Amino acid sequence: MTLQIKSIEQYQEAYDKSVEDPEGFWAEQASTFLWRKKWHTVLKNDFITPDVQWFVGGKMNITENCLDRHIATRGDQDAIIWEPNEPDEPSVHLTYRELLAEVNKCANALKSFGVKKGDRICFYMPMIPQVAIAILACARIGAIHSVVFAGFSANALAERIKDSQCKVVICSDYNRRGPKNIPVKDVVDEAVSMGCDSVEKVLVFQSTGGKVMWEPNRDVWWHDAIKGMSKECAPEIMDSEDMLFILYTSGSTGKPKGVVHTCGGYMVYTSYTFMNVFQYQEGDIYWCTADVGWITGHSYIIYGPLLSGATTLMFEGVPGHPDAGRFWHICEKHRVNQFYTAPTAIRALMAAGYNAPNSYDLSSLKVIGSVGEPINEEAWHWYDEKVGRGNAPIVDTWWQTETGGIMITPLPGITDSKPCFASYPLPGIQPCILDANGIELTGNEVEGLLCIKFPWPSILRTTYGDHERCRSNYFAAFPNMYFTGDGAKRDTDGRYRIIGRVDDVINVSGHRIGTAEVEDAIDQHSGVVESAVVGYPHDIKGQGIYAYVKAHHEVIDEDHFRREILAVVTKEIGPIAKPDIIQFVSQLPKTRSGKIMRRILRKIASGESDSLGDTSTLLNPECVEELKAGALV
Ligand code: WTA
């Protein structure tokens, strides 16, 4: 099992070793796992092409490490505890032994469909145990999972299915989210009908028993598929560098890209970080509230905890259902020891029930975490006082879909937790801050672009089907560096504070959204000439979406037009990308080369019209007054 850092001295020692001898450091960590064949080379380090490989030549299967390896020592321990949407329904417990049997049955069912190593399988699922079972079933047989958040629209789902040519889609009939019951199978039907010719089977878990359409040659009920399937399924032996999964995420330009993670390095890094960041102890109950459609769900609901032999809690519902005490009720009910959530949830719960945590026994909590976006000071203090209550330090964890695992974070009880600071890099992570010219700003009290100088085991390997995009996005801005897209500061003690994205990505309720995608969606409306989308500070969501829209004709009924635009965005992407504010304009500010000057739009949307800076380089400086006068903030 992964070694845990227990003191500041051990942290310093591990960190120093990871920099002086990264290969030795990671080889030691990797040797705690089950390998069918040992690697011959620890690291291939090429940040230019890029071509990064870890544990090269090693053979393994991640599910053997998540499941089989634990049967002898913890076969009867809960692997997953599932808490349903409705608090009065019973929770479900799956032991490691039971989980392995379910995974194998599902793996055999997938095999019976003809799924083979390397095939891509798309997921569009609610937060139910079957999502974990099916993800592990894919990994068992070497199929590559591509989980799509079940809040995306049919269009967005179809785009992702086509990009990676998925052979099977796994979904449920419905998805219960608080008071809503969303017909997800309908969305899958619609998506598949949009030219997803690669899809041979749709595997449907009956979650609510609601009515669905049925395509007999294509659709298979989960319960029928696993009927009679063996509980044994030999794991496919994978190369360390074989793909484990694809996860689509937004960038500053174009369509979402499929971030690719591979088996060996991802396994070592997610487990190492899980054990250290949450200081998980034998018997603890760990709960991460993320959705499995995002990287946090992959790394810290499923893989990291199960690799570490932990008990991981999954929750089907939403924080406010039936009331703002639900999270705290679940913590009390299951005696949760580590709790990991997003600032947007913290802010929403703080607003809806400032004193709600007081009514619950939260004494089991030992560590509380935050992820996905900067946490503001007020929310940090509320979380610390009302939820942590002096017993549970906050770990403000910074990382990304592309990094696979947590990169910069306090270690609870080991390094101090300072409000709004992700603090120190984990062993193996070598961050640096660059100025706009790519010059490294050494010393403390500096601010600039956050880059990472050296590979770590779970760094993305490529973007699916388009390696050049991976190179140009992350490795081309500054030679020999991974560029994060985030801005950061370092304080006098060397702690990092993440400021936010420096590119055209915005972070809405912890969801990454590319402004270009939202613009493309808005522009689909026949009445729209062009649009520009920027983020602006939002009390609950962190950032809200502000859209400036230029219409073909004078807009008579603004509200009606706004509703139509929201409908188009919902159809193209999903409700999470709906603009909060739409301002109609007669022109957008353009540079002489025809580019939209977003700096000005961002300032106006943020209520900072007084500090627009130099606008004289605009092609159409006269538009600025109109933009300011029409601002809706
Ligand atoms: C932001 C989520 C501040 C950041 C794991 C990053 C954060 C993007 C933090 C990645 C944090 C994540 N403090 N900002 N603790 N964690 N971010 O890919 O801008 O969904 O680049 O991965 O979220 O979002 P993603």
Side-chain angles (χ1 to χ4, degrees):
M1 210 53 81
T2 304
L3 301 172
Q4 260 175 344
I5 294 166
K6 287 286 166 204
S7 65
I8 188 84
E9 292 76 23
Q10 283 177 6
Y11 164 69
Q12 202 57 54
E13 198 184 311
Y15 191 82
D16 292 347
K17 170 146 197 223
S18 78
V19 174
E20 283 153 23
D21 176 19
E23 300 187 23
F25 177 81
W26 287 115
E28 195 182 327
Q29 302 306 328
S31 64
T32 62
F33 293 85
L34 184 63
W35 295 84
R36 290 295 188 104
K37 181 166 168 246
K38 202 180 160 184
W39 56 90
H40 55 73
T41 306
V42 179
L43 170 65
K44 176 165 186 216
N45 176 5
D46 167 2
F47 252 19
I48 301 293
T49 313
D51 180 11
V52 175
Q53 298 181 30
W54 282 92
F55 314 113
V56 188
K59 303 279 180 196
M60 38 74 70
N61 183 293
I62 199 166
T63 67
E64 232 183 343
N65 282 279
C66 286
L67 301 170
D68 309 61
R69 187 168 60 123
H70 299 311
I71 297 302
T73 48
R74 57 182 85 243
D76 297 319
Q77 178 201 308
D78 285 341
I80 294 177
I81 300 176
W82 179 68
E83 176 67 23
N85 189 53
E86 301 305 331
D88 51 0
E89 286 177 17
S91 31
V92 170
H93 294 245
L94 275 172
T95 65
Y96 271 92
R97 198 185 314 283
E98 289 163 342
L99 181 59
L100 175 60
E102 293 303 318
V103 167
N104 283 342
K105 283 198 276 180
C106 182
N108 286 323
L110 291 174
K111 274 188 174 174
S112 76
F113 297 165
V115 175
K116 292 189 205 56
K117 177 177 173 181
D119 286 342
R120 276 82 53 212
I121 310 292
C122 179
F123 285 66
Y124 192 76
M125 292 278 270
M127 288 294 291
I128 53 178
Q130 286 69 27
V131 71
I133 291 168
I135 281 176
L136 293 165
C138 284
R140 187 81 175 170
I141 61 174
I144 299 163
H145 52 83
S146 167
V147 183
V148 176
F149 174 60
F152 280 116
S153 68
N155 279 14
L157 174 61
E159 226 165 61
R160 287 157 175 79
I161 293 173
K162 284 188 228 171
D163 186 73
S164 45
Q165 290 289 297
C166 295
K167 197 167 180 175
V168 176
V169 180
I170 306 183
C171 66
S172 58
D173 50 359
Y174 284 77
N175 178 2
R176 303 189 302 173
R177 310 252 322 139
K180 295 191 201 139
N181 193 14
I182 303 153
V184 282
K185 168 70 163 59
D186 286 356
V187 181
V188 171
D189 288 341
E190 193 187 341
V192 175
S193 74
M194 294 174 181
C196 294
D197 302 331
S198 61
V199 175
E200 294 170 13
K201 291 277 178 237
V202 175
L203 179 61
V204 190
F205 182 77
Q206 193 165 42
S207 178
T208 67
K211 212 168 138 47
V212 290
M213 299 284 279
W214 206 250
E215 185 69 60
N217 294 325
R218 186 197 69 186
D219 300 347
V220 185
W221 285 115
W222 175 290
H223 51 260
D224 289 334
I226 63 164
K227 203 179 288 166
M229 286 295 163
S230 165
K231 290 180 185 169
E232 312 279 324
C233 175
E236 182 78 29
I237 303 306
M238 306 292 281
D239 193 277
S240 295
E241 284 298 330
D242 280 336
M243 278 188 207
L244 176 63
F245 67 85
I246 303 168
L247 187 56
Y248 286 88
T249 190
S250 294
S252 35
T253 53
K255 299 275 179 216
K257 42 188 184 274
V259 167
V260 170
H261 285 288
T262 56
C263 297
Y266 180 82
M267 169 176 81
V268 173
Y269 196 74
T270 51
S271 179
Y272 179 77
T273 51
F274 173 77
M275 287 297 280
N276 281 294
V277 175
F278 299 103
Q279 290 289 309
Y280 186 86
Q281 300 300 315
E282 200 65 45
D284 282 350
I285 309 292
Y286 161 88
W287 179 24
C288 166
T289 71
D291 191 281
V292 82
W294 312 112
I295 191 69
T296 309
H298 285 62
S299 302
Y300 299 110
I301 294 179
I302 298 181
Y303 286 114
L306 296 177
L307 284 163
S308 310
T311 300
T312 178
L313 193 146
M314 271 179 88
F315 173 44
E316 183 182 28
V318 294
H321 180 75
D323 57 47
R326 184 70 195 277
F327 272 8
W328 321 127
H329 178 245
I330 296 173
C331 287
E332 178 184 89
K333 176 176 170 191
H334 295 287
R335 305 294 298 155
V336 170
N337 302 107
Q338 291 88 7
F339 175 72
Y340 192 27
T341 195
T344 190
I346 299 170
R347 286 189 296 264
L349 293 176
M350 178 172 79
Y354 194 89
N355 289 313
N358 295 352
S359 315
Y360 298 88
D361 176 3
L362 300 180
S363 60
S364 57
L365 291 174
K366 297 195 282 192
V367 179
I368 54 177
S370 168
V371 59
E373 48 175 322
I375 177 164
N376 52 306
E377 199 145 350
E378 193 191 356
W380 195 97
H381 284 296
W382 181 82
Y383 197 32
D384 188 42
E385 284 156 28
K386 294 284 175 184
V387 182
R389 301 180 189 169
N391 299 319
I394 295 179
V395 288
D396 176 1
T397 63
W398 173 81
W399 58 296
Q400 309 177 297
T401 305
E402 295 86 343
T403 70
I406 298 169
M407 303 283 280
I408 305 182
T409 176
L411 289 174
I414 297 168
T415 58
D416 58 358
S417 297
K418 178 174 170 181
C420 312
F421 279 78
S423 295
Y424 298 108
L426 285 171
I429 306 308
Q430 300 184 33
C432 62
I433 293 184
L434 306 185
D435 71 11
N437 300 316
I439 309 294
E440 182 171 351
L441 302 171
T442 52
N444 289 336
E445 298 225 64
V446 292
E447 176 174 343
L449 306 171
L450 181 63
C451 289
I452 316 286
K453 286 186 193 178
F454 196 85
W456 60 99
S458 63
I459 186 173
L460 87 161
R461 301 302 198 261
T462 190
T463 44
Y464 192 81
D466 192 352
H467 193 62
E468 171 53 23
R469 193 163 177 206
C470 171
R471 191 194 67 82
S472 59
N473 252 289
Y474 308 104
F475 298 91
F478 308 108
N480 256 317
M481 299 266 178
Y482 166 80
F483 175 45
T484 65
D486 279 320
K489 273 183 190 174
R490 210 163 35 222
D491 76 359
T492 44
D493 298 314
R495 287 187 201 88
Y496 286 84
R497 175 175 187 158
I498 311 300
I499 296 165
R501 303 288 307 194
V502 294
D503 52 11
D504 289 320
V505 171
I506 52 182
N507 200 323
V508 182
S509 302
H511 302 326
R512 243 170 99 163
I513 295 177
T515 52
E517 281 171 74
V518 185
E519 289 164 8
D520 285 347
I522 295 174
D523 297 352
Q524 297 288 317
H525 191 294
S526 57
V528 171
V529 180
E530 60 175 346
S531 61
V533 167
V534 296
Y536 73 98
H538 187 288
D539 283 350
I540 303 287
K541 299 180 177 184
Q543 280 189 301
I545 304 179
Y546 195 119
Y548 297 87
V549 175
K550 177 177 171 180
H552 276 293
H553 306 287
E554 194 195 341
V555 182
I556 309 291
D557 185 346
E558 289 202 349
D559 282 344
H560 177 73
F561 200 9
R562 278 196 187 95
R563 277 197 298 277
E564 284 188 356
I565 290 173
L566 295 184
V568 173
V569 174
T570 304
K571 179 161 176 285
E572 292 294 321
I573 309 176
I576 57 173
K578 282 197 300 197
D580 299 274
I581 298 177
I582 298 174
Q583 178 181 348
F584 294 104
V585 300
S586 66
Q587 28 178 341
L588 290 166
K590 298 264 175 89
T591 64
R592 285 181 217 280
S593 59
K595 276 182 67 179
I596 294 170
M597 207 190 259
R598 292 166 176 284
R599 179 176 56 81
I600 291 176
L601 296 175
R602 271 190 221 112
K603 287 260 180 194
I604 293 173
S606 306
E608 297 169 19
S609 297
D610 296 341
S611 56
L612 293 186
D614 185 12
T615 55
S616 63
T617 55
L618 285 176
L619 187 66
N620 51 350
E622 71 284 358
C623 76
V624 172
E625 283 315 310
E626 179 206 323
L627 288 167
K628 280 163 65 170
L632 297 168
V633 287

